[in-house]
Amino acid sequence: MPEARARKGATGDGAAEKPATDGVGGTAGPKDSPGAPRPRRRQARGEARIAQLLQAAASVFCTSGYTASSTNAIAREAGVSPGTLYQFFPNKEAIAVELGDQLLHRWRDTYGAAFTPSHLELPLDRMLDAVLDPLIAFNCENPAFFVLMHGSEIPGRITEEHDTLHTTMLSRVEEILLSYLPEVPAPQVHRVAEMAFMVFKAGLDLIMAKEGEEREAYIRELKAAMYRYLDPLLGDDSPHLAPHAREGRTLQERTP
């Protein structure tokens, strides 16, 4: 359960540990033994309260940054008392860890869907649209993810999981490039994958700092930079492109 994971967080913002509760406001009693299932209605109320607190925390983290945020500010944003917050989370770090876990899970689903085989058979410009658009959209729709993944004093567990995910994504990009560029030496493919990944991250930093039409303009600039970098290697005229990739793209272009 999310509240169970949250209680494991170490105290990080000066708050004292609070008594364990049943997730809806009362201290756990004899009837709430670990093996006893809770009534479904009470469980749903607890999950709804946790979702409310996490949404409030996301807003506060985006407004104030992780370091300057406090449990009092999060409780105020959620419209509850600090005592109610402590029934579910012992401190700010526990809230950040739970929120980070949820966002990382959704990010894995997003990038997994972005790198589908059908997208990778498209011409380069359309492939960049299909792969980059959902990744950019996720970050724009979940700005707290960007704050938690890039802050200077974020809980270690979040940064460790983010670093692991970063490595996994980079390996995935490298695997894709190797399948398209069988004649290119592996060390060069690794450099290309790492450079493309870092160009995306740098462009995302700029995109997240903008809004509205200006943000859209920076998205176009990022795609243009990626296209100009990758086209000599992955464009249809590339001498290194594997036959299966060229044939797949030709078929896509002919399909009405």
Side-chain angles (χ1 to χ4, degrees):
M1 292 294 296
E3 56 266 44
R5 292 200 303 273
R7 293 186 188 120
K8 295 180 182 178
T11 55
D13 57 355
E17 288 289 341
K18 303 299 176 181
T21 68
D22 65 1
V24 293
T27 302
K31 295 181 180 180
D32 297 304
S33 60
R38 292 183 301 166
R40 187 173 186 84
R41 184 167 63 86
R42 292 174 64 197
Q43 187 178 43
R45 285 175 58 196
E47 291 174 351
R49 180 68 78 189
I50 288 172
Q52 177 187 5
L53 291 168
L54 293 179
Q55 183 178 6
S59 176
V60 172
F61 291 157
C62 290
T63 302
S64 304
Y66 174 77
T67 303
S69 298
S70 68
T71 51
N72 284 343
I74 294 170
R76 186 164 54 249
E77 178 70 20
V80 301
S81 69
T84 297
L85 181 148
Y86 287 127
Q87 291 170 9
F88 299 94
F89 297 101
N91 49 55
K92 180 179 70 175
E93 180 178 343
I95 299 173
V97 167
E98 180 63 30
L99 179 61
D101 279 350
Q102 291 192 11
L103 291 172
L104 280 166
H105 178 76
R106 290 164 57 190
W107 174 246
R108 291 185 186 97
D109 290 343
T110 299
Y111 92 76
F115 287 105
T116 59
S118 60
H119 289 169
L120 303 176
E121 293 176 356
L122 295 169
L124 182 58
D125 56 343
R126 292 168 59 193
M127 179 176 72
L128 288 173
D129 286 339
V131 171
L132 297 182
D133 283 347
L135 302 182
I136 294 171
F138 176 90
N139 280 273
C140 292
E141 293 165 5
N142 299 279
F145 179 74
F146 194 83
V147 173
L148 289 176
M149 298 306 125
H150 297 85
S152 59
E153 297 185 15
I154 302 303
R157 173 177 164 184
I158 296 178
T159 55
E160 288 173 5
E161 292 187 6
H162 175 256
D163 290 346
T164 299
L165 184 58
H166 173 101
T167 301
T168 301
M169 290 186 65
L170 180 58
S171 297
R172 175 61 175 147
V173 172
E174 189 172 351
E175 289 172 3
I176 292 168
L177 289 175
L178 282 169
S179 71
Y180 278 76
L181 306 171
E183 299 179 11
V184 177
Q188 181 182 349
V189 172
H190 175 76
R191 289 193 295 271
V192 171
E194 194 163 33
M195 185 61 70
F197 198 76
M198 294 307 293
V199 168
F200 170 74
K201 288 186 65 178
L204 187 60
D205 286 346
L206 291 170
I207 289 167
M208 294 299 295
K210 310 297 178 181
E211 294 182 355
E213 294 183 2
E214 190 72 359
R215 173 176 283 178
E216 294 300 320
Y218 273 87
I219 291 174
R220 291 192 296 270
E221 290 298 323
L222 172 59
K223 290 180 180 178
M226 297 283 285
Y227 181 87
R228 290 166 186 160
Y229 177 60
L230 294 173
D231 184 55
L233 281 172
L234 297 182
D236 292 340
D237 296 329
S238 169
H240 302 291
L241 197 64
H244 77 274
R246 186 174 291 107
E247 291 171 2
R249 293 178 184 179
T250 301
L251 178 61
Q252 288 282 347
E253 291 173 347
R254 290 176 181 173
T255 303

